[in-house]
Amino acid sequence: MRYLTFALGKGRLANTTLKLFEQIGITCEEMKDKDTRKLIFVNEEQKLRFFLAKGPDVPTYVEYGAADIGIVGRDTILQEGRNIYEVLDLGFGKCRMCVCGPQEAKELLRHHEQIRVATKYPRIARDYFYNKKHQTVEIIKLNGSIELAPIVGLADVIVDIVETGSTLRENGLEVLEEVCPLSARMVVNPVSMKMQQEKISRLITDLRTVISEKQ
Ligand code: PRP
């Protein structure tokens, strides 16, 4: 029997995912060892394999079929634009993708001016400004601490994740527009979806039941 392979985005997302999986009887004891340097974990009995990857790499592993299933944030799915199926909202890791900046920048958004937008998510920013707002903007790709950009004058606004809003508040910035809601999602390789349909469908049904009980 073939193994079903899962790619999990490293960090909090992976921990919450494993807790959710335990509720439907999927376990991986090997993975709980915090000191291990192992990269791939196997549950022989259930014929499951798990590995941890950097979030943005998860859709890549799934598109190429190196993983049948991936667990990753919707922000990463939208940014990577890979050929994968998004099959389930796991209901955790909830936050929002927003256009943020100083209050004064609101005017720039309203008047459709040519502005500079800093972001870690250029594809999402481009889609929002070009396809939804029809506003021509200059997009500057950064790799983190995006809130710095409007403070030091690199950009007028940012497109970034807002969870509690405290990073914005502590830096004198605010949400100017909401782009889309985000949360952790399950993605599936299109070929795996056909070849392992029974196993994957059962997994989705079981997870859906546990998730709906929580809500
Ligand atoms: C994310 C995001 C914001 C912050 C939002 O950054 O880019 O900066 O969290 O959270 P809050 O609304 O609860 O303050 P992350 O910590 O992932 O680091 P990064 O800035 O290096 O991307």
Side-chain angles (χ1 to χ4, degrees):
M1 199 162 80
R2 248 201 88 192
Y3 282 86
L4 199 61
T5 303
F6 294 81
L8 311 180
K10 265 185 200 171
R12 219 175 342 151
L13 205 71
N15 296 334
T16 316
T17 303
L18 291 175
K19 281 189 198 131
L20 187 68
F21 280 5
E22 283 198 353
Q23 292 175 47
I24 59 162
I26 290 182
T27 50
C28 191
E29 289 306 314
E30 258 194 322
M31 238 176 154
K32 289 183 183 164
D33 177 2
K34 295 261 183 294
D35 299 321
T36 186
R37 304 289 294 167
K38 262 182 113 165
L39 295 172
I40 187 140
F41 306 92
V42 186
N43 178 330
E44 287 293 351
E45 206 180 306
Q46 296 178 317
K47 289 279 175 273
L48 303 173
R49 297 199 303 173
F50 299 86
F51 64 85
L52 298 174
K54 283 255 184 195
D57 294 339
V58 168
T60 313
Y61 284 109
V62 175
E63 180 181 273
Y64 284 91
D68 301 294
I69 293 171
I71 308 292
V72 70
R74 185 175 181 228
D75 49 317
T76 305
I77 299 170
L78 295 173
Q79 173 54 32
E80 294 302 311
R82 293 280 177 180
N83 177 26
I84 50 180
Y85 294 155
E86 186 188 311
V87 295
L88 189 62
D89 183 345
L90 296 175
F92 60 83
K94 283 189 182 168
C95 48
R96 301 179 293 156
M97 185 65 73
C98 297
V99 181
C100 313
Q103 203 191 6
E104 313 85 77
K106 215 166 196 161
E107 285 300 303
L108 301 175
L109 295 170
R110 208 174 289 146
H111 294 141
H112 284 211
E113 289 186 37
Q114 167 118 25
I115 53 170
R116 276 186 170 178
V117 182
T119 186
K120 206 159 131 179
Y121 304 93
R123 182 193 278 257
I124 298 175
R126 204 171 301 123
D127 179 60
Y128 181 71
F129 280 102
Y130 283 57
N131 300 333
K132 297 209 177 78
K133 292 200 60 168
H134 305 291
Q135 179 169 9
T136 308
V137 295
E138 183 182 347
I139 292 168
I140 302 170
K141 163 87 164 71
L142 290 178
N143 296 296
S145 303
I146 315 298
E147 291 83 357
L148 259 178
I151 299 171
V152 298
L154 175 66
D156 300 291
V157 296
I158 61 173
V159 168
D160 200 20
I161 292 173
V162 180
E163 193 180 351
T164 61
S166 47
T167 312
L168 291 179
R169 270 192 303 278
E170 287 182 30
N171 292 289
L173 305 172
E174 55 187 67
V175 171
L176 304 174
E177 289 175 0
E178 182 171 323
V179 177
C180 62
L182 304 169
S183 59
R185 306 289 162 107
M186 178 183 283
V187 292
V188 180
N189 171 274
V191 177
S192 306
M193 195 71 210
K194 286 199 191 81
M195 305 301 285
Q196 306 230 55
Q197 207 248 343
E198 213 183 296
K199 244 178 159 178
I200 295 174
S201 297
R202 195 170 54 237
L203 174 70
I204 295 170
T205 309
D206 290 352
L207 284 172
R208 218 175 248 146
T209 308
V210 174
I211 294 162
S212 65
E213 280 167 4
K214 281 186 178 170
Q215 282 164 350

